[in-house]
Amino acid sequence: MSETRVHRADAETAHQDLHSEQGALRGEHPGRSRNPVIRVADLAWLEFEKPDLERAEVFARDFGFQIATRTESELWLRGTFAGSPCMVIRRGRTSRFIGPAFRAAERPDLDRLARATGSDVRDADVPGGGWAVDLLDPSGFPVRVVHCGEQLPALPEQRPLLLNFGTDHRRTNAMQRPPREPSRIQRLGHVVLETRVFGRALDWYLDTLGMIVSDFLFLDGQRDRGPTMAFIRCDLGSVPADHHTLAMHLGPGTGYVHSAYQVTDLDSIAVGGEYLKERGYRRSWGVGRHIQGSQLFDYWRDPDRFMLEHFADGDLFSRDVEPGWAPMSTSGLAQWGPPATRDFLGASPSPQRVRDVIQALRGDNEMDPARLLGLLKAAKS
């Protein structure tokens, strides 16, 4: 394994004092494709359907989104950063996640992707116009790759607080009184998905969209069977990218787990959380700091029980950083913070979860009794 240079004098290898204590063993998954079709530049937005757009808009404003476009049938949400919207919610009969849209680096990437996948480039039905290629990943999620013709302008930011550190006094004769208001979303950061066909889905995103793995997690005693979770980033070459833009884990179900939205700092997370709590929303887990990705986090449920995360201060990796490997465990989710809740882990039994387990064990996928027992053990470790 090649050495990765980092800005720390005591770092000797890619996995000493960097992002993971372990690297890959000989013959393990390399975490990237040798010749991907294209390399996407980022997540563009996420697509949902909900029957009550009015209720969805109230939560969106309370959570910290701005409204980009509102019609009778669609609600486009955005952050303060210039670029594309974060989310579109279309009116539908039930509340459900449709799929992610990724941003192509250049317009010709869509032509190359369409030729390689037997798809078409079509007009994208987005504010400002653009083009899209619609695909289906191995898990069955619709995946759109888009190139938009018009970018949203930047909006006013929520300014970070000026902090005093030890003898470094940046604030004198002034007090800290952050206003009790919603966290102001800056941008969409990542989405996490559960799949029964983890290996096939992982390779599809690497081979088709050119994404690369930052960290792998494996089940205790089952490392020889391969990873069961991957934190995957966009490959921007020497330009640092978010530690993960997409994360996937093996499970008995197939679906959305959560999505994450960047805010200014820890005070924005904490005060925004107090604002949400005062309005009767339910915190799922937080506040804390993750291990993989290092983000400060706080997770909430919207009125339709979708989980959304406020985060700040995440890791940024260039192409040079190789995948880390670590055991999958609940205790390994955070450096500090309250214990992960059953709600966050999806560990509360429900009729749908029981049906998912039965279908997974009977189906043609990567779930089997050993994998299921390993996941249950990881949830308790």
Side-chain angles (χ1 to χ4, degrees):
M1 179 174 295
S2 63
E3 179 174 304
T4 299
R5 301 293 182 182
V6 297
H7 298 290
R8 294 183 57 169
D10 57 349
E12 297 178 0
T13 71
H15 298 284
Q16 180 173 330
D17 297 326
L18 186 56
H19 68 109
S20 176
E21 295 180 358
Q22 302 180 40
L25 303 176
R26 185 180 297 275
E28 288 188 317
H29 200 296
R32 60 188 68 193
S33 174
R34 291 187 176 184
N35 188 29
V37 178
I38 65 168
R39 289 183 172 87
V40 293
D42 204 352
L43 261 180
W45 60 78
L46 304 177
E47 301 194 3
F48 293 82
E49 284 185 358
K50 295 186 177 185
D52 192 338
L53 293 190
E54 290 70 27
R55 184 175 70 172
E57 181 176 350
V58 170
F59 173 80
R61 292 184 184 276
D62 288 341
F63 193 73
F65 291 106
Q66 307 293 318
I67 308 303
T69 301
R70 177 71 159 89
T71 69
E72 282 298 313
S73 59
E74 290 186 346
L75 175 63
W76 288 85
L77 307 177
R78 62 160 299 175
T80 58
F81 284 2
S84 63
C86 299
M87 183 189 300
V88 56
I89 305 172
R90 296 187 174 91
R91 194 181 300 277
R93 289 184 297 177
T94 61
S95 293
R96 65 190 186 108
F97 173 66
I98 304 300
F102 291 88
R103 179 168 61 85
E106 299 177 348
R107 170 62 179 83
D109 285 345
L110 296 185
D111 297 320
R112 185 161 59 254
L113 182 63
R115 288 194 301 269
T117 59
S119 306
D120 297 317
V121 179
R122 63 175 185 81
D123 289 340
D125 183 18
V126 299
W131 303 269
V133 174
D134 291 331
L135 306 170
L136 201 66
D137 80 0
S139 304
F141 289 115
V143 175
R144 305 183 77 193
V145 181
V146 301
H147 192 268
C148 295
E150 181 181 321
Q151 299 296 301
L152 296 171
L155 297 177
E157 287 290 328
Q158 196 169 36
R159 293 184 178 181
L161 296 185
L162 194 62
L163 303 179
N164 289 329
F165 297 98
T167 58
D168 181 9
H169 300 154
R170 305 180 184 184
R171 190 187 80 258
T172 59
N173 299 329
M175 299 172 290
Q176 298 282 37
R177 299 293 187 273
R180 189 65 60 88
E181 63 182 7
S183 301
R184 202 168 302 175
I185 301 299
Q186 295 175 326
R187 65 183 179 94
L188 168 62
H190 63 259
V191 63
V192 181
L193 304 175
E194 179 178 348
T195 175
R196 300 171 183 170
V197 291
F198 172 82
R200 298 207 304 268
L202 170 66
D203 289 342
W204 186 88
Y205 282 96
L206 306 191
D207 293 337
T208 308
L209 303 187
M211 306 182 81
I212 55 179
V213 175
S214 298
D215 280 289
F216 282 121
L217 301 184
F218 58 88
L219 294 176
D220 183 40
Q222 298 186 36
R223 181 166 180 171
D224 60 328
R225 295 189 62 184
T228 48
M229 185 165 188
F231 297 87
I232 310 165
R233 69 186 185 275
C234 295
D235 182 358
L236 305 183
S238 61
V239 177
D242 286 334
H243 172 272
H244 55 285
T245 301
L246 168 68
M248 290 191 302
H249 68 80
L250 178 66
T254 297
Y256 169 95
V257 179
H258 76 259
S259 52
Y261 304 86
Q262 180 176 292
V263 299
T264 303
D265 57 13
L266 180 57
D267 278 279
S268 177
I269 291 175
V271 175
E274 291 299 303
Y275 185 91
L276 288 168
K277 185 170 65 175
E278 289 172 352
R279 279 149 184 79
Y281 298 110
R282 177 182 174 187
R283 173 179 273 124
S284 181
W285 181 37
V287 176
R289 185 181 283 277
H290 280 306
I291 293 179
Q292 279 78 25
S294 303
Q295 298 97 334
L296 296 162
F297 66 81
D298 194 19
Y299 293 90
W300 292 84
R301 294 281 186 182
D302 77 0
D304 297 285
R305 291 202 46 78
F306 288 108
M307 191 189 302
L308 292 85
E309 174 190 2
H310 285 143
F311 81 91
D313 190 35
D315 292 337
L316 299 170
F317 287 177
S318 68
R319 178 187 292 172
D320 300 326
V321 179
E322 299 173 359
W325 287 71
M328 196 172 186
S329 68
T330 296
S331 60
L333 291 174
Q335 302 176 47
W336 57 262
T341 63
R342 292 179 62 85
D343 178 72
F344 174 81
L345 297 171
S348 300
S350 68
Q352 181 58 54
R353 202 59 172 167
V354 172
R355 287 193 292 270
D356 287 342
V357 170
I358 293 172
Q359 291 173 4
L361 293 177
R362 290 176 176 175
D364 179 18
N365 55 64
E366 298 167 28
M367 285 296 298
D368 56 36
R371 284 304 211 191
L372 179 60
L373 291 174
L375 290 170
L376 292 173
K377 181 179 177 181
K380 297 179 181 179
S381 62

